[in-house]
């Protein structure tokens, strides 16, 4: 129950304005104070008349007395009525408070301008583009069997149809639809051509390997996890499927950013693009700083630039939505090959380097890892951890060996590429031999031979860093 004596108001006067302060106490039926809320509003002098204040407070009192005060969880909207001189009587204030108008979203405010933007940026109708997207999808799916066979031969991994879906999506984008991922995510058509997805192109499929190299080394980094074969690049990130078991559908998709951590981003790449674009459209001021697109470099003001970026994201999201609708049946088909659902997998325990492990024995919940393993101070802790991992592996539990092996391999992300160059003459990078031993042992104990072989190939070519294994034409 709320009573009129349970709120207080006072007016603070300055040279420019008057500020009304409103404080409300909340009590239960026994009179126990449950909490208090307060807010304030600076108002023009001519608006804050005694008659309007009295009418406003009477309206507040009526609402509180009828217990219809859920909206008072945020009181600011109440004071908005005093900023509008159209409201003067008790009835006018009460009507507004009981049913306050919902302000337009940025999406709604800019919708008319967006429609004009679309006429220029996307001359073809959305239906025509949907047809072209379907053609791109059918073309990629027709090549999927041969591409998947190559992936099984070169990587020992199962390639889901989502790979074909992702390539077809990129292949179907118009120049205007590329603008948002290119300038805001660093994902461009040229970046997409670097990674295994490129093999859906007949031209890329025919690229010859450089002498003595293995496809599993393509654009690999010293800290790259065996479970993350590169699908495509961004300017500052790598995008990959994540394989918990070589013979099954990957557990989801990840990206590896500048901090080198491997993070879940969705069940599919299209899910990631959808969530990314949706967040921007709902909260543009949070994600768009007005300085990210080409227009900012041309001296265009911040708000115009933000609106331009917003429109390109909206255009891109429509393409994502259309493609997701076209491929929902493929998602369901792929799910039948998963060991565990993405929703289950993403809640399993992570570890310092990012995504944690998942085995039939469980994940890495509760595992401890030495901090800063490359430092001299951590050496005893790392030695103890390696000994514990070896012991548990020998006893038939490979989980800690797998988790620790990943961390030790990932630790070399702190070093520069020069530490892995052929000219490097310093001491070996600490713990990399132990990382190889633990990972290979754990993978083989789990029956994941393809991942074990990938570790062996990678560690035999540690000086091959972020380069192509192909002789491009």
């Amino acid at each position: 129950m709320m009573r009129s004596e349970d709120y207080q108001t006072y007016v603070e006067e300055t040279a420019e304005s008057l500020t009304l302060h409103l404080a409300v106490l909340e009590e239960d039926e026994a009179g126990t104070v449950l909490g208090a809320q307060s807010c304030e509003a600076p108002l023009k002098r001519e608006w804050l008349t005694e008659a309007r204040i009295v009418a406003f407070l009477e309206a507040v009192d009526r609402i509180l007395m009828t217990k219809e005060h859920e909206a008072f969880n945020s009181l600011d909207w109440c004071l908005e009525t005093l900023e509008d001189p159209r409201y003067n009587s008790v009835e006018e204030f009460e009507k507004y408070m009981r049913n306050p108008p919902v302000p337009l979203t940025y999406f709604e405010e800019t919708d008319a301008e967006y429609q004009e933007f679309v006429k220029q940026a996307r001359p073809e109708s959305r239906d025509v583009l949907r047809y072209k997207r379907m053609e791109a999808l059918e073309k990629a799916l027709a090549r999927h069997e041969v591409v998947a066979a190559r992936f099984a031969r070169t990587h020992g991994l199962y390639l889901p149809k989502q790979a074909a879906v992702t390539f077809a999506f990129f292949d179907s984008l118009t120049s205007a639809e590329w603008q948002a991922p290119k300038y805001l995510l660093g994902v461009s058509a040229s970046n997409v051509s670097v990674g295994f997805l490129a093999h859906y192109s007949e031209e890329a499929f025919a690229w010859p390997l450089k002498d003595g190299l293995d496809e599993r080394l393509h654009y690999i980094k010293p800290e790259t996890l065996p479970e993350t074969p590169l699908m495509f690049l961004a300017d500052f990130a790598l995008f990959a499927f994540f394989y918990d078991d070589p013979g099954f559908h990957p557990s989801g998709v990840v990206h590896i950013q500048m901090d080198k951590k491997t993070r879940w981003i969705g069940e599919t790449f299209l899910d990631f693009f959808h969530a990314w674009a949706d967040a921007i459209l709902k909260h543009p001021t949070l994600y768009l700083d007005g300085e990210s697109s080409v227009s900012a470099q041309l001296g265009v003001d911040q708000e115009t630039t933000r609106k331009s970026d917003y429109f390109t994201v909206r255009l891109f999201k429509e393409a994502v939505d259309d493609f997701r609708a076209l491929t929902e049946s493929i998602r369901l088909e792929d799910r039948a090959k998963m060991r565990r659902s993405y929703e289950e997998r993403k809640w399993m325990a992570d570890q310092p380097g990012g995504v944690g492990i998942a085995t039939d024995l469980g994940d890495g919940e509760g595992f401890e890892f030495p901090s800063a393993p490359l430092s001299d101070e951590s050496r005893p802790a790392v030695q103890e951890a390696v000994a514990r991992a070896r012991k548990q592996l020998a006893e038939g539990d490979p989980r800690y060996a797998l988790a620790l092996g990943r961390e030790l391999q990932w630790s070399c992300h702190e070093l520069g590429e020069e530490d892995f160059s052929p000219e490097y003459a310093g001491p070996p990078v600490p713990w990399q031999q132990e990382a190889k031993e633990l990972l290979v042992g754990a993978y083989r104990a789990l029956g994941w031979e393809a991942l074990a072989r990938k570790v062996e190939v990678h560690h035999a070519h540690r000086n091959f860093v972020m380069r192509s294994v192909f002789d491009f034409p």
Side-chain angles (χ1 to χ4, degrees), residues 121-122 124 129 132-134 136-137 165-182 187-189 192 270 273 276 312-313 315-323:
R122 192 177 63 200
E124 294 179 296
L129 288 177
K132 290 184 176 181
R133 298 192 207 286
M134 178 59 77
L137 179 62
V165 168
T166 308
F167 177 83
F169 169 71
F170 287 136
D171 195 39
S172 75
L173 293 179
T174 66
S175 176
E177 290 167 343
W178 268 113
Q179 299 307 299
K182 179 178 180 180
V187 178
S188 64
V192 169
L270 289 188
F273 289 133
W276 172 78
T312 64
V313 172
L315 193 74
F316 176 68
K317 183 174 181 291
E318 289 177 2
V320 174
D321 289 343
D322 287 347
F323 221 87

Side-chain angles (χ1 to χ4, degrees), residues 192-457:
V192 169
S193 68
V194 178
F196 196 83
L197 291 187
H199 290 314
Y200 283 94
S201 156
E202 293 185 23
E203 178 185 6
F205 197 89
W207 289 337
L209 278 173
K210 295 176 182 176
D211 289 343
L213 293 181
D214 188 296
E215 282 199 35
R216 289 168 288 190
L217 299 171
H218 186 61
Y219 276 88
I220 203 165
K221 306 182 81 170
E223 68 273 9
T224 299
L225 298 182
E227 293 88 347
T228 56
L230 174 68
M231 289 296 120
F232 61 94
L233 282 175
D235 288 346
F236 302 105
L238 291 77
F239 289 80
F241 288 122
F242 193 96
Y243 286 86
D244 284 317
D245 190 314
F248 287 81
H249 188 293
S251 299
V253 296
V254 297
H255 66 172
I256 302 96
Q257 293 181 292
M258 292 294 288
D259 62 2
K260 311 301 192 300
K261 281 194 174 184
T262 303
R263 292 184 174 90
W264 292 118
I265 56 174
E267 181 179 340
T268 70
F269 293 116
L270 289 188
D271 289 346
F272 164 71
F273 289 133
H274 172 84
W276 172 78
D278 195 49
I280 291 176
L281 296 184
K282 289 179 179 177
H283 308 286
T285 56
L286 183 62
Y287 292 97
L288 300 177
D289 58 14
E291 300 177 355
S292 52
S293 74
V294 173
S295 54
Q297 302 170 23
L298 300 177
V300 182
D301 69 88
Q302 189 176 48
E303 183 51 38
T304 300
T305 301
R306 177 180 288 117
K307 188 181 295 183
S308 173
D309 289 341
Y310 189 84
F311 288 168
T312 64
V313 172
R314 185 171 172 182
L315 193 74
F316 176 68
K317 183 174 181 291
E318 289 177 2
V320 174
D321 289 343
D322 287 347
F323 221 87
R324 288 175 87 210
L326 286 174
T327 58
E328 190 58 30
S329 62
I330 296 175
R331 178 200 296 272
L332 298 177
E333 183 180 344
D334 277 343
R335 280 177 177 171
K337 285 283 291 179
M338 297 178 77
R339 287 291 304 272
R340 52 185 64 86
S341 72
Y342 170 68
E343 290 302 316
E344 174 191 2
R345 181 64 178 93
K346 72 177 181 178
W347 292 114
M348 291 185 178
D350 284 337
Q351 53 191 76
V355 174
I357 67 169
T359 73
D360 290 340
L361 294 173
D363 63 1
E365 180 68 36
F367 285 177
E368 295 181 0
F369 303 96
S371 60
L374 297 187
S375 68
D376 291 338
E377 294 80 4
S378 295
R379 185 170 184 80
V382 178
Q383 288 175 328
E384 188 279 329
V386 170
R388 177 156 41 101
R390 285 169 173 162
K391 181 176 183 294
Q392 293 179 11
L393 180 59
E395 293 172 348
D397 187 348
R399 289 178 300 156
Y400 191 58
L402 175 56
L404 181 63
R406 282 191 193 168
E407 287 304 305
L408 295 181
Q409 176 153 312
W410 174 72
S411 69
C412 67
H413 80 273
E414 300 175 15
L415 304 175
E417 291 184 11
E418 63 275 7
D419 293 293
F420 295 92
S421 68
E423 296 77 25
Y424 177 71
V429 177
W431 309 120
Q432 295 310 292
Q433 186 59 37
E434 288 82 357
K436 175 186 173 183
E437 172 201 338
L438 294 177
L439 286 173
V440 171
Y443 291 136
R444 290 206 162 115
L446 291 164
W448 298 349
E449 180 62 25
L451 297 180
R453 285 290 303 129
K454 188 175 181 183
V455 174
E456 292 173 333
V457 169

Side-chain angles (χ1 to χ4, degrees), residues 142-174:
R143 286 189 55 78
H144 177 70
E145 185 175 345
V146 65
V147 175
R150 177 172 185 154
F151 197 60
R153 184 177 68 255
T154 59
H155 289 69
L157 303 173
Y158 167 80
L159 189 69
K161 286 187 177 179
Q162 280 299 328
V165 168
T166 308
F167 177 83
F169 169 71
F170 287 136
D171 195 39
S172 75
L173 293 179
T174 66

Side-chain angles (χ1 to χ4, degrees), residues 14-156:
T14 68
E16 294 81 19
S17 66
L18 300 173
T19 299
L20 176 67
H21 297 261
L22 173 64
V24 178
L25 296 178
E26 290 193 66
E27 299 178 355
D28 61 18
E29 295 292 340
T32 303
V33 176
L34 301 176
Q37 300 175 60
S38 64
C39 57
E40 59 185 46
L43 304 165
K44 293 184 178 180
R45 289 174 175 272
E46 62 269 26
W47 292 354
L48 202 58
T49 64
E50 181 178 353
R52 292 188 76 232
I53 291 175
V54 170
F56 169 80
L57 294 177
E58 175 62 27
V60 170
D61 196 45
R62 289 184 182 182
I63 293 176
L64 297 183
M65 290 298 289
T66 57
K67 301 184 182 180
E68 297 175 6
H69 56 275
E70 288 81 1
F72 280 76
N73 288 330
S74 178
L75 289 166
D76 292 344
W77 64 268
C78 293
L79 295 179
E80 289 176 1
T81 57
L82 285 170
E83 297 176 351
D84 191 333
R86 292 176 300 171
Y87 300 99
N88 293 281
S89 69
V90 175
E91 289 73 21
E92 289 170 339
F93 282 121
E94 182 182 3
K95 181 179 179 181
Y96 179 96
M97 292 177 189
R98 292 191 184 280
N99 189 28
V102 178
L104 292 175
T105 63
Y106 191 79
F107 187 96
E108 294 166 329
E109 286 179 356
T110 60
D111 186 63
E113 291 179 78
Y114 174 71
Q115 301 308 325
E116 292 301 313
F117 166 81
V118 168
K119 291 178 182 178
Q120 300 298 320
R122 192 177 63 200
E124 294 179 296
S125 73
R126 205 166 166 182
D127 286 340
V128 169
L129 288 177
R130 286 191 187 103
Y131 180 77
K132 290 184 176 181
R133 298 192 207 286
M134 178 59 77
E135 287 185 320
L137 179 62
E138 290 174 348
K139 182 179 177 181
L141 289 174
R143 286 189 55 78
H144 177 70
E145 185 175 345
V146 65
V147 175
R150 177 172 185 154
F151 197 60
R153 184 177 68 255
T154 59
H155 289 69

